[in-house]
Amino acid sequence: MAGNREYKSDVFSMLMEEPGYALEVYNALNHSDYRDPGRIEVCNLERGISLSVRNDAAFILDMNLNVYEHESTVCPNMPLRALIYVTNILEQWVKKQNIYGRRLVKIPTPRFVVFYNGAEEQRSQYRLKLSDAYANRIKKPELELTCTVYNTRTGSCCRNARY
């Protein structure tokens, strides 16, 4: 069973590295109509958490950073993983920028999506928050990251995508 799960994740990542497929999924999620795959800038997650399983994808389109995960198991740690991914991507993004200067360095607006296709019953769509992992909960966390989880088994997202 684990081999099948890894295969699905690898296929997902390979598809999302193809700008045409990434654009199709982006359009389905955002109800947009971008047509030029050349506008997709694929971001390689060089220092991902797992080097053995490729279940993530990231790309920039129109200054929007899209970080997508594919999961076959329920994982409440997705926001923490997304934080690590986006930190690595932004570190690469700002290498040639002066982040210590007086000028504001603009970064792509991030969006974090998890595509769940496991066997466990899950709602069709829900959100996971980084602050749920905080040992000391506060009303207004200074750092928040939200992942939107789509249960692809329910057909709740990307109805028009071919992937």
Side-chain angles (χ1 to χ4, degrees):
M1 185 69 126
N4 187 31
R5 185 171 55 225
E6 289 178 19
Y7 176 76
K8 287 180 186 177
S9 293
D10 282 348
V11 169
F12 172 80
S13 292
M14 287 186 292
L15 284 173
M16 290 298 99
E17 287 176 0
E18 292 295 324
Y21 287 112
L23 186 63
E24 192 172 333
V25 173
Y26 180 90
N27 282 335
L29 282 175
N30 295 287
H31 309 289
S32 56
D33 192 29
Y34 287 96
R35 295 179 185 257
D36 181 7
R39 296 182 66 179
I40 297 280
E41 178 186 336
V42 174
C43 302
N44 293 321
L45 301 175
E46 295 171 5
R47 295 185 318 197
I49 296 169
S50 171
L51 297 177
S52 61
V53 179
R54 293 172 24 147
N55 58 348
D56 46 46
F59 62 90
I60 298 170
L61 173 63
D62 203 17
M63 283 301 282
N64 291 298
L65 172 57
N66 303 277
V67 178
Y68 294 169
E69 273 288 326
H70 170 270
E71 285 296 313
S72 297
T73 57
V74 176
C75 181
N77 297 310
M78 295 309 300
L80 179 57
R81 289 167 48 178
L83 177 64
I84 294 168
Y85 294 146
V86 77
T87 302
N88 290 336
I89 292 167
L90 292 177
E91 181 181 34
Q92 293 171 33
W93 179 266
V94 300
K95 276 185 178 178
K96 297 179 182 172
Q97 306 285 330
N98 180 6
I99 61 173
Y100 301 102
R102 293 180 170 267
R103 177 185 274 164
L104 180 65
V105 173
K106 296 284 189 171
I107 60 174
T109 304
R111 180 167 186 210
F112 307 98
V113 174
V114 178
F115 297 103
Y116 172 77
N117 76 339
E120 272 186 70
E121 275 299 311
Q122 293 294 306
R123 296 173 298 220
S124 62
Q125 179 181 334
Y126 58 97
R127 295 182 185 273
L128 297 171
K129 294 185 174 188
L130 180 64
S131 61
D132 291 339
Y134 292 167
N136 298 314
R137 291 194 174 237
I138 56 176
K139 287 184 180 180
K140 294 183 180 180
E142 293 182 8
L143 176 62
E144 185 63 274
L145 187 149
T146 303
C147 292
T148 302
V149 180
Y150 294 98
N151 184 347
T152 60
R153 291 174 103 43
T154 65
S156 65
C157 74
C158 309
R159 294 186 195 280
N160 300 324
R162 293 177 293 147
Y163 64 95

